[in-house]
Amino acid sequence: FAEVEKHAEWLVAESKTQEISNIVWACGTFEVRSPNLLSQIDKRATWFVRYGKPQEIAITAWSFARLGVHSPNLFSEIDKQAGWLVAECKTQEVSNLAWACGALEVQ
């Protein structure tokens, strides 16, 4: 994870949304805080939500919440796309998004 953190800016800029969600899922699952990685994702939140699949967005939101990391840009973009996400997400993905918002007390 140290190398992921070291190269976070490059990883987020050059990776696909699925690859990013997989990396951040691993961080959340193993409770590894990677501040630079999470910050880079937050900086590119508009791109991530626009081009990400609902599952990738839900997993990423879950991971941020699992780590207790507030991501104002990510959750703002999720809020803007809430109608689309609810319509396109599977039940588990909606559940992950709702849990993430509740865990971080996102209004």
Side-chain angles (χ1 to χ4, degrees):
F1 285 107
E3 289 299 312
V4 168
E5 181 67 0
K6 181 178 175 183
H7 300 286
E9 184 174 1
W10 175 83
L11 277 171
V12 173
E14 297 298 322
S15 296
K16 296 176 182 169
T17 54
Q18 181 181 9
E19 296 162 342
I20 293 167
S21 69
N22 288 344
I23 294 167
V24 78
W25 172 85
C27 291
T29 299
F30 295 105
E31 297 182 14
V32 175
R33 289 189 176 269
S34 187
N36 191 29
L37 174 67
L38 301 176
S39 174
Q40 293 302 319
I41 294 168
D42 189 59
K43 287 179 184 176
R44 294 182 50 94
T46 301
W47 168 84
F48 186 82
V49 173
R50 180 176 296 146
Y51 294 104
K53 294 178 181 172
Q55 181 184 25
E56 298 159 357
I57 297 164
I59 288 170
T60 301
W62 175 88
S63 300
F64 272 81
R66 177 88 164 94
L67 295 168
V69 176
H70 294 268
S71 178
N73 295 327
L74 178 63
F75 284 92
S76 174
E77 291 301 322
I78 289 170
D79 182 54
K80 290 176 188 174
Q81 297 299 324
W84 171 76
L85 284 166
V86 170
E88 296 297 320
C89 282
K90 295 177 182 169
T91 305
Q92 182 64 47
E93 296 158 359
V94 172
S95 176
N96 287 345
L97 286 166
W99 181 85
C101 291
L104 293 174
E105 299 179 355
V106 174
Q107 298 297 320

